[in-house]
Amino acid sequence: RMAAKRKVFAEIHNSLGGKLNLIVSGGAPVDPDVLAGLRAFGFRVIQGYGLTECAPLAAVNPDRAPKDRSAGVVLPGGELKIINADEDGVGEICYRGDNVMLGYYGRPDLTAEVKRNGWLHTGDLGYIDEDGYLIITGRKKNIIVTANGKNIFPEEIEEYLEPIETISECVVVGRKAEDSDTVNLVAIIYPDRTKFAEGATDEDILASLKSEIDAVNRKLISYKRIDRIELRETEFEKTTTRKIRRNLVK
């Protein structure tokens, strides 16, 4: 079946050299519709999960049985566990295997923070499903805690916003209200101004985005709903691998 697709879409395959056998994606989650689309063109593509500290792979999807919303299953010879799990089973992802680093060069203090009894404490949050597939929900340092103790993973909410065509980039943050302990969820958005009519004002853009986000909010449980929208004039600052530097978001 895949061979037939390669013949039908030979022009696309040939433009990439004609011998591309397998694509493994990592670094950030891929929309499952994108993965399905690539397979429809005859490309074998799967997601994996790794860190530099484990040289670099910890889990990967089997190419014959991928779960596109997962990061895959643990590598042979490796172990995954979830610690400090909440009521939904979400906790910090830890990995142990021969490919875990000895430590950060010249920094035993930093090494001790992330490596304990052979286990690499990744700082990523997630759970392992009933079939042994790892589902990543967010980063430990990004988690937003509401006044009544609910944990919110901003990455989860951002997934709902990213398909909106008028949004170029977005980051969801939690801000305490000035007069109470309430934590408001704020969507900071760098809009794609080319999607709006010429001469559209910030008020026009905000009104359009509010309509779209109201529709998203209806899909979310109450404490995960976005309370406010803020616009940015410039792109977010990014790392060399094009990840948004959340620590610089005000």
Side-chain angles (χ1 to χ4, degrees):
R1 186 177 172 186
M2 197 64 79
K5 291 178 181 178
R6 286 174 177 269
K7 288 183 179 179
V8 171
F9 299 107
E11 184 177 348
I12 297 174
H13 285 264
N14 290 338
S15 70
L16 296 173
K19 296 181 180 180
L20 183 58
N21 183 48
L22 177 67
I23 302 169
V24 181
S25 174
V30 180
D31 187 326
D33 290 340
V34 172
L35 297 175
L38 287 167
R39 292 194 193 105
F41 284 117
F43 292 101
R44 296 167 64 224
V45 54
I46 56 177
Q47 292 197 90
Y49 167 66
L51 307 92
T52 303
E53 291 87 348
C54 61
L57 197 58
V60 69
N61 269 278
D63 65 339
R64 294 183 183 276
K67 283 191 180 185
D68 287 342
R69 290 204 173 275
S70 84
V73 297
V74 69
L75 292 181
E79 299 175 75
L80 282 174
K81 71 176 181 179
I82 305 296
I83 65 168
N84 301 324
D86 64 14
E87 59 191 21
D88 297 318
V90 174
E92 184 175 8
I93 301 164
C94 296
Y95 174 78
R96 181 166 68 181
D98 290 341
N99 54 330
V100 173
M101 66 173 183
L102 295 175
Y104 297 118
Y105 178 71
R107 293 301 304 270
D109 54 332
L110 292 181
T111 302
E113 288 180 17
V114 301
K115 188 179 177 186
R116 299 165 222 160
N117 298 320
W119 288 94
L120 178 66
H121 292 241
T122 66
D124 291 317
L125 297 169
Y127 64 94
I128 297 171
D129 74 6
E130 65 279 3
D131 298 316
Y133 286 70
L134 177 65
I135 315 296
I136 299 172
T137 56
R139 285 286 291 170
K140 187 177 176 181
K141 64 183 179 182
N142 297 340
I143 198 167
I144 300 167
V145 182
T146 67
N148 60 355
K150 294 287 189 181
N151 291 338
I152 300 171
F153 308 106
E155 296 92 340
E156 175 192 357
I157 301 170
E158 289 159 10
E159 278 189 33
Y160 284 92
L161 302 182
E162 284 161 1
I164 298 173
E165 289 188 354
T166 50
I167 294 178
S168 180
E169 297 174 350
C170 66
V171 169
V172 172
V173 299
R175 294 221 182 103
K176 259 193 175 182
E178 290 183 10
D179 54 351
S180 72
D181 289 333
T182 302
V183 177
N184 292 318
L185 290 186
V186 181
I188 304 174
I189 293 171
Y190 174 55
D192 184 348
R193 295 178 184 271
T194 66
K195 303 291 185 185
F196 295 93
E198 187 175 349
T201 65
D202 281 357
E203 288 72 20
D204 296 329
I205 293 171
L206 280 169
S208 173
L209 289 171
K210 184 178 185 306
S211 176
E212 295 273 17
I213 288 175
D214 283 347
V216 168
N217 277 341
R218 288 193 285 272
K219 301 175 186 177
L220 299 170
I221 59 178
S222 58
Y223 69 88
K224 292 183 179 181
R225 290 173 185 160
I226 293 163
D227 301 298
R228 197 164 73 246
I229 305 168
E230 293 180 2
L231 297 184
R232 277 179 66 96
E233 292 296 324
T234 58
E235 291 185 19
F236 292 95
E237 292 189 52
K238 300 180 185 68
T239 66
T240 54
T241 55
R242 301 296 295 166
K243 293 178 183 177
I244 291 173
R245 298 174 70 94
R246 288 177 177 268
N247 62 311
L248 299 181
V249 177
K250 303 296 185 185

